[in-house]
Amino acid sequence: MTPRALSTLVLAAVLTASCSLVASPKDRHSAPDPATGPASGSASPSALGQTFEEDVELARTLTERYWQQTFQAAGRTYRPLSKFEAYSGQDGPDCGGQPAVPENAFYCPVGHFVAYDAQWMRSLYEEKGDGAVYVIIPHELGHAVQAQLMSDFSLNINRELQADCYAGGALKGLIDAGQLEAESGDDEELLANLAAAGDPTDAWWREDAHGTPAERQQSFAKGYNNGVNTC
């Protein structure tokens, strides 16, 4: 996944097809201000997206920029994250008294921040490609959007699937705006990462339910193909 001036349609076609498939990402890294882009003297957008660290920064910065513009178009004000924090294993920040756990990424409404186990995310990046970063980070930012919209859910699975939908919609919005290009193989990476993050059983009533692989792929595809307003 790289920043480019022109996007392809391969991803859209595959994600549309994924809706007929019958098949949880468990989130101190600084990034440019999402509203202004890279700081003076930092790498240009065309130089980003070549390493794990650059993809993480790009995914956070561009996704927040997308949501700022989307909120503004709706007459609202998006509040950027207070921090975006990498941690290792057990040393992550707590959230409302709940400790961070290894191999996880999460949005914390108490403090309005996202944190992620960097070693875990890097291992996914190396094993499953940069699609891991472009699924996990936009998903967690989807939860930040839910908090700002004061969305309410009776079941956790609905919260998680909407965040997947928001992630797909934000990614497509960035591609349509020419800020990202879907390269060959990105579609498979995204779907593989969503499948790997799916629940092993359809226990939709559980407090930690995120959705089956098929449900997560379908929710992401819904946002990607139809936009965040359909989520």
Side-chain angles (χ1 to χ4, degrees):
M1 194 87 60
T2 56
R4 292 287 189 254
L6 184 65
S7 65
T8 68
L9 297 178
V10 176
L11 187 59
V14 173
L15 286 174
T16 300
S18 79
C19 288
S20 63
L21 293 177
V22 180
S24 97
K26 289 183 172 181
D27 286 27
R28 161 193 269 147
H29 182 89
S30 62
D33 183 335
T36 60
S40 176
S42 64
S44 66
S46 61
L48 297 176
Q50 306 303 315
T51 67
F52 168 72
E53 292 80 7
E54 291 171 350
D55 270 315
V56 168
E57 180 175 288
L58 195 65
R60 179 267 176 105
T61 303
L62 292 184
T63 304
E64 284 217 272
R65 187 182 302 164
Y66 168 82
W67 282 114
Q68 285 182 324
Q69 294 169 347
T70 300
F71 270 53
Q72 183 177 26
R76 307 176 69 104
T77 300
Y78 174 80
R79 183 162 63 98
L81 297 177
S82 64
K83 63 180 178 178
F84 184 66
E85 182 169 347
Y87 67 89
S88 177
Q90 302 282 356
D91 72 352
D94 67 36
C95 176
Q98 295 296 315
V101 298
E103 299 186 353
N104 194 19
F106 63 93
Y107 166 71
C108 180
V110 183
H112 188 51
F113 68 86
V114 165
Y116 63 96
D117 184 331
Q119 184 174 354
W120 165 73
M121 193 184 294
R122 182 187 292 275
S123 70
L124 293 177
Y125 181 90
E126 293 174 349
E127 177 185 349
K128 299 183 181 299
D130 60 1
V133 167
Y134 290 94
V135 165
I136 296 172
I137 294 175
H139 172 94
E140 298 308 332
L141 285 165
H143 287 313
V145 169
Q146 291 170 336
Q148 294 184 60
L149 295 177
M150 295 184 289
S151 303
D152 189 29
F153 302 89
S154 58
L155 295 171
N156 189 67
I157 189 173
N158 295 333
R159 176 183 292 104
E160 298 300 334
L161 292 177
Q162 186 185 62
D164 285 336
C165 185
Y166 280 163
L171 182 62
K172 183 57 159 56
L174 292 170
I175 292 173
D176 287 348
Q179 297 184 55
L180 287 175
E181 176 182 315
E183 298 178 321
S184 176
D186 281 341
D187 38 25
E188 291 89 350
E189 285 182 14
L190 291 166
L191 294 173
N193 277 283
L194 288 159
D199 294 336
T201 64
D202 186 21
W204 51 266
W205 60 88
R206 289 174 56 98
E207 292 184 359
D208 61 350
H210 280 60
T212 64
E215 288 171 331
R216 299 204 64 174
Q217 290 175 329
Q218 290 163 7
S219 291
F220 188 92
K222 178 182 179 180
Y224 189 94
N225 292 313
N226 302 316
V228 297
N229 289 332
T230 66
C231 296

